[in-house]
Coordinates of all heavy atoms in Angstrom, one line a residue:
P1 N 86.7 128.9 62.9 CA 86.1 129.0 64.2 C 84.8 128.1 64.3 O 84.4 127.6 65.3 CB 85.8 130.5 64.4 CG 85.8 131.1 63.1 CD 86.7 130.3 62.2
A2 N 84.0 127.9 63.1 CA 82.8 127.2 63.2 C 83.2 125.7 63.6 O 82.3 125.0 64.1 CB 82.1 127.2 61.8
A3 N 84.3 125.2 63.1 CA 84.7 123.9 63.5 C 84.8 123.6 65.0 O 84.6 122.6 65.4 CB 86.0 123.5 62.8
L4 N 85.2 124.7 65.7 CA 85.2 124.5 67.2 C 83.9 124.2 67.8 O 83.7 123.5 68.7 CB 85.8 125.8 67.8 CG 87.3 126.0 67.7 CD1 87.7 127.4 68.3 CD2 88.1 124.9 68.4
L5 N 82.9 124.9 67.1 CA 81.5 124.7 67.6 C 80.9 123.3 67.1 O 80.1 122.7 67.8 CB 80.6 125.8 67.2 CG 81.0 127.2 67.7 CD1 80.1 128.2 67.1 CD2 81.0 127.2 69.2
A6 N 81.4 122.8 66.0 CA 80.8 121.6 65.4 C 81.5 120.4 65.9 O 81.0 119.3 65.8 CB 80.9 121.7 63.9
G7 N 82.8 120.5 66.3 CA 83.5 119.3 66.7 C 83.3 118.8 68.1 O 82.4 119.4 68.9
P8 N 84.0 117.8 68.5 CA 83.9 117.2 69.8 C 84.6 118.0 70.9 O 85.6 117.5 71.5 CB 84.4 115.8 69.6 CG 85.5 116.0 68.7 CD 84.9 117.0 67.7
T9 N 84.2 119.3 71.0 CA 84.9 120.2 72.0 C 83.9 120.7 73.0 O 82.8 120.3 73.1 CB 85.6 121.4 71.3 OG1 84.6 122.1 70.6 CG2 86.6 120.9 70.1
R10 N 84.3 121.7 73.7 CA 83.5 122.4 74.7 C 82.7 123.6 74.1 O 82.3 124.4 74.8 CB 84.3 122.8 75.9 CG 85.0 121.7 76.6 CD 85.9 122.2 77.7 NE 86.4 123.5 77.5 CZ 86.5 124.4 78.5 NH1 86.1 124.2 79.6 NH2 87.1 125.6 78.2
G11 N 82.7 123.6 72.8 CA 81.8 124.6 72.0 C 82.2 126.0 72.3 O 83.3 126.4 72.0
L12 N 81.2 126.8 72.8 CA 81.4 128.2 73.0 C 82.6 128.5 74.0 O 83.3 129.5 73.7 CB 80.2 128.8 73.5 CG 79.2 129.1 72.4 CD1 77.8 129.7 73.1 CD2 79.5 130.0 71.3
A13 N 82.8 127.7 74.9 CA 83.9 127.9 75.8 C 85.2 127.8 75.1 O 86.2 128.7 75.3 CB 83.8 126.9 77.0
D14 N 85.4 126.8 74.2 CA 86.7 126.8 73.5 C 86.8 127.9 72.5 O 87.9 128.4 72.2 CB 86.7 125.4 72.7 CG 87.1 124.3 73.6 OD1 87.6 124.5 74.7 OD2 87.0 123.1 73.1
L15 N 85.7 128.4 71.8 CA 85.8 129.5 71.0 C 86.2 130.7 71.7 O 87.1 131.5 71.2 CB 84.4 129.7 70.3 CG 84.3 130.8 69.3 CD1 85.3 130.6 68.2 CD2 83.0 130.9 68.8
Y16 N 85.7 130.9 72.9 CA 86.1 132.0 73.8 C 87.5 132.0 74.1 O 88.2 133.0 73.9 CB 85.3 132.0 75.1 CG 85.8 133.1 76.0 CD1 85.3 134.3 75.9 CD2 86.6 132.8 77.0 CE1 85.8 135.4 76.8 CE2 87.1 133.7 78.0 CZ 86.7 135.0 77.8 OH 87.1 136.0 78.7
V17 N 88.0 130.8 74.4 CA 89.5 130.7 74.7 C 90.3 131.0 73.5 O 91.3 131.8 73.6 CB 89.8 129.3 75.2 CG1 91.3 129.0 75.3 CG2 89.2 129.0 76.6
A18 N 90.0 130.6 72.4 CA 90.7 130.8 71.2 C 90.6 132.3 70.8 O 91.7 132.8 70.4 CB 90.0 130.0 70.0
L19 N 89.6 132.9 71.0 CA 89.4 134.4 70.7 C 90.2 135.3 71.6 O 90.4 136.4 71.3 CB 88.0 134.8 70.6 CG 87.2 134.2 69.5 CD1 85.7 134.5 69.7 CD2 87.7 134.8 68.1
T20 N 90.5 134.9 72.8 CA 91.0 135.7 73.9 C 92.5 135.4 74.1 O 93.0 135.8 75.1 CB 90.2 135.6 75.2 OG1 90.3 134.2 75.6 CG2 88.8 136.1 74.9
R21 N 93.3 134.7 73.2 CA 94.6 134.5 73.4 C 95.6 135.5 72.9 O 96.7 135.7 73.3 CB 95.1 133.1 72.8 CG 94.4 131.9 73.2 CD 94.5 131.6 74.7 NE 93.4 132.2 75.3 CZ 93.3 132.5 76.6 NH1 94.3 132.3 77.4 NH2 92.3 133.2 77.2
A22 N 95.0 136.4 72.1 CA 95.8 137.5 71.4 C 95.9 138.7 72.3 O 94.9 139.1 72.8 CB 95.2 137.8 70.1
T23 N 97.1 139.3 72.3 CA 97.3 140.5 73.1 C 97.3 141.7 72.2 O 97.1 142.8 72.6 CB 98.5 140.5 74.0 OG1 99.7 140.3 73.1 CG2 98.5 139.4 75.1
R24 N 97.8 141.5 70.9 CA 97.8 142.6 70.0 C 97.0 142.4 68.7 O 96.5 143.3 68.2 CB 99.3 142.8 69.6 CG 100.2 143.3 70.7 CD 101.5 143.4 70.3 NE 102.3 143.7 71.5 CZ 103.1 144.8 71.6 NH1 103.1 145.7 70.6 NH2 103.8 145.0 72.7
S25 N 97.0 141.2 68.2 CA 96.4 141.0 66.8 C 95.7 139.7 66.8 O 96.3 138.7 67.0 CB 97.5 141.0 65.8 OG 97.0 140.7 64.5

């Protein structure tokens, strides 16, 4: 997950999206 914040992305917004895709696990 640290790579999402360090890379050429939208930072915390991308981390939020990645963390909220799971419905069970």
Side-chain angles (χ1 to χ4, degrees):
L4 285 175
L5 299 178
T9 65
R10 297 176 333 134
L12 284 174
D14 280 350
L15 183 58
Y16 173 81
V17 169
L19 291 170
T20 58
R21 300 304 89 202
T23 60
R24 294 179 185 239
S25 172

